Amino acid sequence: MINTAAPTISVELRRRFSCATRVLVLTGAGVSAESGVPTFRGGGNSAVWKGMPFDVISSAGMLQRDLPAVWEWFDYRRDLLKALEPNAAHYEIARWQNRFAEFTLVTQNIDGLHQKAGSRDVVELHGNIWRARCTSCLLNHTISTTKGRPDNCEQCGEPLRPDVVLFGEMLPPGAFERAAESASQCELCFVVGTSALVYPAAGLPEVARMAGAYICEVNPEPTPLSDLCDEVLTGKAGAVLPLFGN
Ligand code: BV8
Ligand code: ZN
């Protein structure tokens, strides 16, 4: 019997939430699920595109072999995103940036919904689907919802690629370092809507725990991180996170 009742936030967590100054939030696809963004894994199977598992189509190897196919995959996801809005979880997290003196939001999501909800200075570990990058001079290009994306670089004319981190590729310079620095300094770390299977992102909560932080996971399902957490709030982020607001 699925327990749909909202989980209870412990007195301990409420106390820590009320007096914390250094807080880290790490999010994954689950935080955008209630906005209608398909997750990669859920219900036991993982996303497949034209018969290819997502970590194949979203890989450095595929980019070398077939850039147009990679673009087709991200164009499809971007089109899906156009009509979608942030949900209550995104808005609650956006409010937290004004609540805590040292607040860091680290996301694995490329959908830009945290920023659309008002979050500033988001550490995007895996890039952003609304940007393209030149394969030669690395110039960044913004992809607008109306004009779509240019095929070639406006500076050197070489082909553009999605400005996202593909499997087998390094994270953006400094992004993981900044996230790990905040994890090693935080008192309270929330892990929201991630299956915690992709590295190095999934290693951040361990960094926070090693530094003595209180770790809280928000997820309707258990993950490999659940046992590492001081508290697990079993439920949907859009229902659970606003409970901290009152
Ligand atoms: C790299 C962008 C160095 C593209 C992404 C160590 C061990 C093993 C493997 C590795 C390792 N180190 C590196 C690797 C390889 C690899 C990796 O981790 N592989 C995995 C599969 C084992 N990592 C890499 O390749 C990384 N690069 O290591 O570079 C290097 C370089 C060269 C040579 C050697 C080393 C780069 C990884 C980044 C890849 N790009 N995204 C795109 O989007 O297509 S990863 C992508 O997948 C996402 O960004 C995210 O990170 C991941 C999906 O995970 P989640 O976001 O958590 O989503 P998921 O669907 O899985 O889960 C959703 C969760 O939400 C579930 O738990 C569900 O229960 C929950 N949920 C559902 N609804 C709700 C909810 N929660 C709350 N509320 C709800 N309503
Ligand atoms: Zn260029």
Side-chain angles (χ1 to χ4, degrees):
M1 200 278 294
I2 299 285
N3 165 6
T4 55
T8 308
I9 299 170
S10 72
V11 173
E12 174 65 12
L13 178 50
R14 282 210 180 277
R15 184 186 67 73
R16 287 171 181 267
F17 188 82
S18 62
C19 61
T21 55
R22 298 186 305 280
V23 175
L24 172 77
V25 174
L26 172 67
T27 65
V31 80
S32 294
E34 292 154 87
S35 295
V37 183
T39 59
F40 297 85
R41 294 178 192 79
N45 52 28
S46 74
V48 171
W49 168 258
K50 298 197 171 179
M52 286 178 282
F54 85 89
D55 50 1
V56 171
I57 181 74
S58 280
S59 70
M62 183 57 77
L63 193 79
Q64 299 311 321
R65 286 196 300 279
D66 191 345
L67 175 59
V70 172
W71 267 128
E72 207 187 341
W73 160 233
F74 287 102
D75 291 346
Y76 159 76
R77 291 165 65 184
R78 205 177 314 107
D79 286 346
L80 269 184
L81 275 172
K82 280 182 183 145
L84 304 181
E85 293 296 330
N87 65 65
H90 295 108
Y91 289 115
E92 182 63 26
I93 292 169
R95 276 191 286 276
W96 292 2
Q97 68 191 336
N98 308 318
R99 181 190 181 110
F100 301 105
E102 293 170 50
F103 178 79
T104 306
L105 172 58
V106 177
T107 190
Q108 299 165 79
N109 301 344
I110 64 175
D111 57 30
L113 289 178
H114 281 301
Q115 294 90 331
K116 205 170 180 182
S119 285
R120 300 180 303 272
D121 207 12
V122 180
V123 181
E124 295 180 307
L125 289 180
H126 297 160
N128 188 301
I129 200 169
W130 298 100
R131 288 195 307 266
R133 185 171 81 234
C134 176
T135 53
S136 173
C137 72
L138 306 183
L139 180 71
N140 259 331
H141 296 65
T142 300
I143 301 175
S144 82
T145 48
T146 48
K147 294 200 298 301
R149 65 173 173 83
D151 282 326
N152 292 82
C153 175
E154 64 194 32
Q155 182 165 272
C156 74
E158 289 299 307
L160 298 179
R161 55 154 293 161
D163 188 28
V164 301
V165 178
L166 301 173
F167 284 95
E169 293 186 328
M170 304 297 275
L171 275 53
F176 186 76
E177 292 72 12
R178 187 172 159 222
E181 174 60 21
S182 301
S184 66
Q185 301 295 326
C186 72
E187 301 154 291
L188 191 49
C189 171
F190 286 91
V191 185
V192 183
T194 184
S195 57
L197 295 170
V198 171
Y199 285 77
L204 287 168
E206 178 71 24
V207 173
R209 207 171 80 92
M210 300 292 281
Y214 191 89
I215 317 291
C216 173
E217 181 177 58
V218 179
N219 196 313
E221 297 176 16
T223 75
L225 275 177
S226 304
D227 299 346
L228 174 140
C229 295
D230 299 284
E231 190 155 341
V232 174
L233 300 176
T234 302
K236 295 185 172 188
V240 173
L241 294 184
L243 298 175
F244 285 91
N246 19 331

